[in-house]
Short mmCIF file of all heavy atoms in Angstrom, two decimals:
data_model
loop_
_atom_site.label_atom_id
_atom_site.label_comp_id
_atom_site.label_asym_id
_atom_site.label_seq_id
_atom_site.Cartn_x
_atom_site.Cartn_y
_atom_site.Cartn_z
N GLU A 1222 -0.92 12.15 25.82
CA GLU A 1222 0.24 11.61 26.52
C GLU A 1222 -0.24 10.84 27.74
O GLU A 1222 -1.38 10.99 28.18
CB GLU A 1222 1.23 12.71 26.91
CG GLU A 1222 0.63 13.85 27.70
CD GLU A 1222 1.65 14.93 28.00
OE1 GLU A 1222 2.81 14.58 28.29
OE2 GLU A 1222 1.30 16.12 27.95
N ALA A 1223 0.64 10.01 28.28
CA ALA A 1223 0.22 9.14 29.38
C ALA A 1223 1.39 8.81 30.29
O ALA A 1223 2.56 8.91 29.90
CB ALA A 1223 -0.41 7.85 28.85
N GLN A 1224 1.04 8.42 31.51
CA GLN A 1224 1.97 7.83 32.46
C GLN A 1224 1.40 6.47 32.84
O GLN A 1224 0.30 6.39 33.37
CB GLN A 1224 2.11 8.70 33.71
CG GLN A 1224 2.78 10.04 33.50
CD GLN A 1224 2.79 10.86 34.79
OE1 GLN A 1224 1.80 10.94 35.50
NE2 GLN A 1224 3.91 11.47 35.08
N VAL A 1225 2.15 5.41 32.56
CA VAL A 1225 1.73 4.06 32.89
C VAL A 1225 2.52 3.60 34.11
O VAL A 1225 3.76 3.63 34.09
CB VAL A 1225 1.97 3.09 31.71
CG1 VAL A 1225 1.48 1.69 32.06
CG2 VAL A 1225 1.26 3.60 30.46
N PHE A 1226 1.84 3.17 35.16
CA PHE A 1226 2.50 2.79 36.40
C PHE A 1226 3.13 1.41 36.25
O PHE A 1226 2.44 0.43 35.94
CB PHE A 1226 1.50 2.79 37.55
CG PHE A 1226 1.09 4.16 37.99
CD1 PHE A 1226 0.71 5.13 37.08
CD2 PHE A 1226 1.10 4.50 39.33
CE1 PHE A 1226 0.34 6.40 37.48
CE2 PHE A 1226 0.73 5.76 39.76
CZ PHE A 1226 0.35 6.73 38.83
N LEU A 1227 4.43 1.32 36.49
CA LEU A 1227 5.16 0.06 36.40
C LEU A 1227 5.33 -0.61 37.76
O LEU A 1227 5.31 -1.84 37.85
CB LEU A 1227 6.52 0.29 35.75
CG LEU A 1227 6.51 0.89 34.34
CD1 LEU A 1227 7.94 1.08 33.85
CD2 LEU A 1227 5.74 0.01 33.38
N SER A 1228 5.56 0.18 38.78
CA SER A 1228 5.73 -0.39 40.12
C SER A 1228 5.32 0.64 41.16
O SER A 1228 5.25 1.84 40.87
CB SER A 1228 7.19 -0.82 40.35
OG SER A 1228 8.05 0.32 40.37
N THR A 1229 5.04 0.15 42.36
CA THR A 1229 4.65 1.03 43.45
C THR A 1229 5.45 0.68 44.69
O THR A 1229 6.03 -0.40 44.80
CB THR A 1229 3.14 0.90 43.77
OG1 THR A 1229 2.87 -0.47 44.12
CG2 THR A 1229 2.29 1.31 42.58
N ALA A 1230 5.48 1.62 45.62
CA ALA A 1230 6.15 1.42 46.91
C ALA A 1230 5.14 1.66 48.03
O ALA A 1230 4.12 2.31 47.83
CB ALA A 1230 7.34 2.37 47.05
N SER A 1231 5.44 1.13 49.18
CA SER A 1231 4.52 1.24 50.32
C SER A 1231 4.85 2.48 51.15
O SER A 1231 6.02 2.84 51.33
CB SER A 1231 4.63 -0.01 51.20
OG SER A 1231 3.78 0.08 52.32
N ARG A 1232 3.78 3.15 51.61
CA ARG A 1232 3.96 4.30 52.49
C ARG A 1232 2.75 4.38 53.41
O ARG A 1232 1.65 3.97 53.05
CB ARG A 1232 4.10 5.60 51.68
CG ARG A 1232 4.29 6.83 52.55
CD ARG A 1232 4.57 8.07 51.75
NE ARG A 1232 5.89 8.04 51.14
CZ ARG A 1232 6.46 9.09 50.56
NH1 ARG A 1232 5.83 10.24 50.50
NH2 ARG A 1232 7.66 8.99 50.03
N ALA A 1233 2.94 4.93 54.61
CA ALA A 1233 1.85 5.07 55.58
C ALA A 1233 1.18 6.43 55.43
O ALA A 1233 1.84 7.44 55.17
CB ALA A 1233 2.38 4.91 57.00
N VAL A 1234 -0.13 6.46 55.58
CA VAL A 1234 -0.88 7.71 55.53
C VAL A 1234 -1.88 7.71 56.69
O VAL A 1234 -2.45 6.67 57.03
CB VAL A 1234 -1.60 7.86 54.16
CG1 VAL A 1234 -2.63 6.76 53.96
CG2 VAL A 1234 -2.26 9.23 54.05
N ARG A 1235 -2.08 8.89 57.28
CA ARG A 1235 -2.98 9.01 58.43
C ARG A 1235 -4.35 9.49 57.96
O ARG A 1235 -4.46 10.51 57.27
CB ARG A 1235 -2.42 9.98 59.45
CG ARG A 1235 -3.21 10.03 60.76
CD ARG A 1235 -2.57 11.01 61.74
NE ARG A 1235 -1.21 10.60 62.07
CZ ARG A 1235 -0.90 9.69 63.00
NH1 ARG A 1235 -1.87 9.11 63.70
NH2 ARG A 1235 0.36 9.39 63.25
N SER A 1236 -5.39 8.74 58.32
CA SER A 1236 -6.75 9.14 57.97
C SER A 1236 -7.26 10.20 58.93
O SER A 1236 -6.63 10.50 59.96
CB SER A 1236 -7.68 7.91 58.01
OG SER A 1236 -7.24 6.94 57.08
N LYS A 1237 -8.41 10.79 58.61
CA LYS A 1237 -8.91 11.89 59.44
C LYS A 1237 -9.34 11.44 60.83
O LYS A 1237 -9.42 12.25 61.75
CB LYS A 1237 -10.08 12.58 58.73
CG LYS A 1237 -11.31 11.70 58.53
CD LYS A 1237 -12.40 12.50 57.82
CE LYS A 1237 -13.66 11.67 57.64
NZ LYS A 1237 -14.72 12.44 56.94
N ASP A 1238 -9.57 10.13 61.00
CA ASP A 1238 -9.91 9.64 62.33
C ASP A 1238 -8.69 9.30 63.16
O ASP A 1238 -8.80 8.79 64.28
CB ASP A 1238 -10.84 8.43 62.23
CG ASP A 1238 -10.18 7.26 61.51
OD1 ASP A 1238 -9.00 7.39 61.08
OD2 ASP A 1238 -10.83 6.21 61.35
N GLY A 1239 -7.50 9.57 62.59
CA GLY A 1239 -6.26 9.34 63.33
C GLY A 1239 -5.60 8.00 63.06
O GLY A 1239 -4.47 7.78 63.51
N THR A 1240 -6.27 7.10 62.38
CA THR A 1240 -5.68 5.79 62.11
C THR A 1240 -4.68 5.87 60.97
O THR A 1240 -4.77 6.73 60.08
CB THR A 1240 -6.78 4.78 61.76
OG1 THR A 1240 -7.47 5.22 60.58
CG2 THR A 1240 -7.77 4.64 62.90
N LEU A 1241 -3.71 4.95 61.02
CA LEU A 1241 -2.70 4.87 59.95
C LEU A 1241 -3.06 3.75 58.99
O LEU A 1241 -3.48 2.66 59.41
CB LEU A 1241 -1.31 4.62 60.54
CG LEU A 1241 -0.67 5.78 61.30
CD1 LEU A 1241 0.67 5.35 61.89
CD2 LEU A 1241 -0.47 6.98 60.39
N SER A 1242 -2.88 4.00 57.72
CA SER A 1242 -3.13 2.99 56.69
C SER A 1242 -1.90 2.86 55.82
O SER A 1242 -1.16 3.83 55.59
CB SER A 1242 -4.34 3.38 55.82
OG SER A 1242 -5.51 3.50 56.58
N SER A 1243 -1.67 1.65 55.33
CA SER A 1243 -0.58 1.42 54.39
C SER A 1243 -1.11 1.63 52.98
O SER A 1243 -2.11 1.02 52.58
CB SER A 1243 -0.04 -0.01 54.54
OG SER A 1243 0.99 -0.25 53.59
N VAL A 1244 -0.46 2.52 52.24
CA VAL A 1244 -0.92 2.85 50.88
C VAL A 1244 0.21 2.58 49.89
O VAL A 1244 1.38 2.42 50.26
CB VAL A 1244 -1.36 4.33 50.78
CG1 VAL A 1244 -2.53 4.60 51.69
CG2 VAL A 1244 -0.19 5.26 51.12
N ARG A 1245 -0.15 2.52 48.61
CA ARG A 1245 0.83 2.33 47.55
C ARG A 1245 1.02 3.64 46.81
O ARG A 1245 0.05 4.35 46.48
CB ARG A 1245 0.36 1.27 46.56
CG ARG A 1245 -0.07 -0.05 47.17
CD ARG A 1245 1.02 -0.72 47.94
NE ARG A 1245 2.16 -1.05 47.08
CZ ARG A 1245 3.27 -1.66 47.53
NH1 ARG A 1245 3.37 -1.99 48.81
NH2 ARG A 1245 4.26 -1.92 46.70
N ILE A 1246 2.27 3.99 46.56
CA ILE A 1246 2.59 5.19 45.80
C ILE A 1246 3.39 4.80 44.57
O ILE A 1246 4.09 3.78 44.58
CB ILE A 1246 3.38 6.21 46.66
CG1 ILE A 1246 4.73 5.60 47.07
CG2 ILE A 1246 2.59 6.65 47.87
CD1 ILE A 1246 5.67 6.59 47.71
N PRO A 1247 3.32 5.57 43.48
CA PRO A 1247 4.07 5.22 42.27
C PRO A 1247 5.57 5.33 42.50
O PRO A 1247 6.06 6.31 43.06
CB PRO A 1247 3.58 6.24 41.25
CG PRO A 1247 3.10 7.40 42.06
CD PRO A 1247 2.54 6.81 43.32
#
Side-chain angles (χ1 to χ4, degrees):
E1222 54 182 321
Q1224 293 176 316
V1225 182
F1226 286 48
L1227 301 179
S1228 66
T1229 59
S1231 179
R1232 180 174 290 191
V1234 63
R1235 187 179 299 276
S1236 299
K1237 64 180 182 180
D1238 62 0
T1240 60
L1241 289 177
S1242 300
S1243 178
V1244 297
R1245 308 300 299 180
I1246 63 170

